[in-house]
């Protein structure tokens, strides 16, 4: 089932997948894995017509001590990968969880009295890389392994708006990312290994993880697109900007690509009910898929997420209980039916037409890029949306110079700050 990354992703039908959130126990289910429950969940996911899932073993369970990687925990990950194979699904495995749905799962050896910088402390980086290598090696011979993704938005731990950031320079961010990707390659030489940075990397001027890194390191450029980043709040739930948010984001990512045919992966996108009414969701799912398909080099779309978080679990941002394609009892929702139908339609769709004129994004000559004009409401975002409305099918072009008339956009990114936003 393993499929190589296409040389020109735009020449093939993009892949479709789902981010797997276990129905019973959420990600705490890794504490005492129930293979039968996992098999039921994955069979339901496969019924949507998707071809892959992304899974999230917890860092604190895999590596509870800096020099202890638990063999049983690695075996549990392999059990889930094999269960996916049994229903015809390929798997992407996230390492270093890290951060999920506003909760952090950082091991105790990095916090409190043992506080260290996860990105720059040499012993921490070495131990973390060894976990990534061991996890990749455990899965390397699985025929349905697509590859590893380095963390789930781990870059948020360095952001200036984080409550307890691990600061670093752009050079240190690049070295850390490359070290983790090299470790994944050492454990699984043939995998498609990627880094999953959240949108601070694309929109926050002071963020050490940059668009250049996301677009140059790893085997594909990954984006996570959420309309609670200011797009929905600023423009409205059924706005043109909301409908075309992922298309814009993918074109932004493509603008930083060092190779014209580098694959683009919309690895996370979902329908947050903090912005959308339930009646808006089918429209949002359809428009998001249809407009994303207009981007050349699109490798795939992986929806967030499979199942609603159970309302028996406490302290989640309210929207987390509603993001699933299936409800907490395993019943398919309207969003799931719409996503299933959109996948079917996409497989009959014509390839995307060539893009039109390029909107310039001046980022400056220094490694710490000026990128906030690309954020929602920023001058580059606004110009692209105007051109898109006019039918120009615009793309973006990165310019390594300053623009004195650039206007910064909305950078309400990250963690609980974004996911708790209700308006």
């Amino acid at each position: 089932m393993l499929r190589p990354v296409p040389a020109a992703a735009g020449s093939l039908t993009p892949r479709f997948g789902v981010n797997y959130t276990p129905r019973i126990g959420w990600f705490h289910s890794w504490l005492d894995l129930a293979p039968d429950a996992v098999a039921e969940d994955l069979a339901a996911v496969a019924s949507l017509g998707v071809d892959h899932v992304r899974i999230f073993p917890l860092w604190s369970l895999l590596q509870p001590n800096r020099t202890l990687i638990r063999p049983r925990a690695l075996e549990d990950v392999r059990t889930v990968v094999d269960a996916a194979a049994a229903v015809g699904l390929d798997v992407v495995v996230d390492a270093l969880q890290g951060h999920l749905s506003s909760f952090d799962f950082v091991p105790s050896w990095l916090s409190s009295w043992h506080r260290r910088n996860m990105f720059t402390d040499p012993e921490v980086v070495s131990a973390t890389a060894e976990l990534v290598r061991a996890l990749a090696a455990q899965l390397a011979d699985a025929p349905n392994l697509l590859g590893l993704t380095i963390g789930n938005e781990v870059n948020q731990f360095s952001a200036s708006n984080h409550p307890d950031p691990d600061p670093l320079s752009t050079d240190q961010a690049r070295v850390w990312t490359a070290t983790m990707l090299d470790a994944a390659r050492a454990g699984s030489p043939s995998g498609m290994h990627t880094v999953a940075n959240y949108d601070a990397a694309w929109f926050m001027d002071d963020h050490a993880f940059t668009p250049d890194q996301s677009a140059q390191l790893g085997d594909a450029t990954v984006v996570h697109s959420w309309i609670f980043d200011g797009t929905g709040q600023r423009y409205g739930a059924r706005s043109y900007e909301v409908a075309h948010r992922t298309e814009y984001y993918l074109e932004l990512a493509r603008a930083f690509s060092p190779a014209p045919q580098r694959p683009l992966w919309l690895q996370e996108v979902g329908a947050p009910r903090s912005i959308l009414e339930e009646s808006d969701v089918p429209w949002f799912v359809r428009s998001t898929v249809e407009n994303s398909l207009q981007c050349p080099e699109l490798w795939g779309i992986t929806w967030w997420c499979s199942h609603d978080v159970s309302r028996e679990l406490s302290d989640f941002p309210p929207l987390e209980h509603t993001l699933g394609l299936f409800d907490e009892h395993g019943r398919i929702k309207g969003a799931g039916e719409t996503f299933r139908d959109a996948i079917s339609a996409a497989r009959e769709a014509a390839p995307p037409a060539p893009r039109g004129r390029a909107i310039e994004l001046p980022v400056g000559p220094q490694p710490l890029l000026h990128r906030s004009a690309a954020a929602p409401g920023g001058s580059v975002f606004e110009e692209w949306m105007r051109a898109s409305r006019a039918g120009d099918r615009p793309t973006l072009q990165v310019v390594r110079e300053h623009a004195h008339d650039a206007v910064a956009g909305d950078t309400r990114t990250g963690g609980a700050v974004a996911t708790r936003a209700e308006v």
Side-chain angles (χ1 to χ4, degrees):
M1 276 173 283
L2 181 64
R3 301 172 180 87
V5 179
S11 65
L12 300 174
T13 301
R15 302 190 61 163
F16 289 90
V18 171
N19 292 279
Y20 173 44
T21 48
R23 175 172 54 91
I24 299 174
W26 193 61
F27 296 108
H28 305 301
S29 59
W30 288 107
L31 286 162
D32 50 356
L33 188 70
D36 290 346
V38 170
E40 290 178 4
D41 288 350
L42 293 177
V45 169
S47 74
L48 298 173
V50 301
D51 56 58
H52 69 276
V53 289
R54 178 174 167 232
I55 67 172
F56 305 84
L58 300 182
W59 185 6
S60 51
L61 301 183
L62 292 170
Q63 194 177 32
N65 182 272
R66 184 167 59 84
T67 53
L68 173 62
I69 298 171
R70 294 177 54 238
R72 174 61 183 273
L74 296 180
E75 292 167 7
D76 284 347
V77 179
R78 180 58 185 260
T79 295
V80 174
V81 171
D82 291 344
V87 293
L89 294 172
D90 291 342
V91 181
V92 177
V93 180
D94 266 36
L96 310 182
Q97 260 41 261
H99 178 83
L100 293 163
S101 301
S102 85
F103 287 95
D104 292 342
F105 295 92
V106 177
S108 59
W109 48 272
L110 277 175
S111 62
S112 186
W113 299 106
H114 298 268
R115 184 73 172 86
R116 296 188 185 197
N117 189 309
M118 71 168 68
F119 302 113
T120 62
D121 184 289
E123 289 185 330
V124 171
V125 174
S126 176
T128 305
E130 178 55 24
L131 170 62
V132 174
R133 188 209 62 77
L135 182 60
Q138 179 76 23
L139 306 171
D141 64 345
N144 62 323
L145 177 71
L146 284 172
L148 268 62
T149 288
I150 302 305
N152 181 58
E153 305 181 350
V154 177
N155 64 308
Q156 62 99 18
F157 288 105
S158 75
S160 58
N161 63 350
H162 189 274
D164 184 23
D166 288 12
L168 74 168
S169 68
T170 55
D171 285 344
Q172 289 170 325
R174 177 178 283 274
V175 169
W176 182 87
T177 303
T179 299
M180 297 305 137
L181 289 167
D182 287 347
R185 182 75 57 211
S188 175
S190 63
M192 183 184 79
H193 304 306
T194 56
V195 57
N197 288 331
Y198 90 115
D199 55 5
W202 300 92
F203 301 132
M204 290 183 71
D205 291 333
D206 66 350
H207 196 64
F209 290 84
T210 67
D212 283 339
Q213 296 166 22
S214 291
Q216 295 170 8
L217 302 176
D219 298 317
T221 303
V222 167
V223 297
H224 293 185
S225 180
W226 289 98
I227 59 170
F228 52 55
D229 67 345
T231 305
Q233 296 94 324
R234 178 181 292 267
Y235 300 103
R238 281 203 176 229
S239 63
Y240 188 91
E241 289 79 5
V242 162
H244 291 264
R245 176 72 178 83
T246 55
E247 181 187 359
Y248 168 77
Y249 204 168
L250 288 163
E251 288 302 304
L252 174 65
R254 195 156 69 94
F256 284 92
S257 179
Q261 295 181 332
R262 179 175 166 88
L264 303 174
W265 181 6
L266 180 55
Q267 191 185 61
E268 275 191 30
V269 62
R273 275 53 161 197
S274 56
I275 300 294
L276 304 168
E277 299 293 335
E278 197 62 40
S279 59
D280 298 325
V281 171
W283 166 84
F284 177 78
V285 173
R286 284 192 300 271
S287 59
T288 294
V289 171
E290 290 171 1
N291 293 327
S292 298
L293 291 172
Q294 297 305 306
C295 297
E297 285 66 62
L298 177 65
W299 178 86
I301 299 172
T302 310
W303 201 265
W304 188 281
C305 57
S306 66
H307 294 79
D308 289 344
V309 178
S310 171
R311 294 188 182 275
E312 294 181 356
L313 298 177
S314 60
D315 300 326
F316 282 86
L319 67 87
E320 298 289 346
H321 298 289
T322 62
L323 287 171
L325 300 172
F326 298 87
D327 69 17
E328 64 183 276
H329 305 292
R331 297 172 299 205
I332 191 169
K333 298 164 56 178
E337 293 173 343
T338 305
F339 189 52
R340 179 193 62 203
D341 294 344
I343 293 170
S344 180
R347 289 179 174 144
E348 302 298 325
R355 302 299 302 191
R357 70 182 180 93
I359 308 296
E360 289 190 350
L361 170 59
V363 296
Q366 301 303 318
L368 194 62
L369 304 179
H370 293 277
R371 56 203 115 151
S372 55
S379 52
V380 172
F381 183 98
E382 290 280 329
E383 185 178 357
W384 190 96
M385 288 294 174
R386 285 194 299 270
S388 180
R389 273 198 195 88
D392 291 347
R393 296 180 54 80
T395 186
L396 288 151
Q397 179 181 1
V398 174
V399 180
R400 304 288 172 172
E401 61 185 35
H402 293 291
H404 299 293
D405 58 348
V407 176
D410 196 323
T411 55
R412 62 178 87 188
T413 57
V417 174
T419 57
R420 289 183 188 276
E422 297 297 325
V423 294

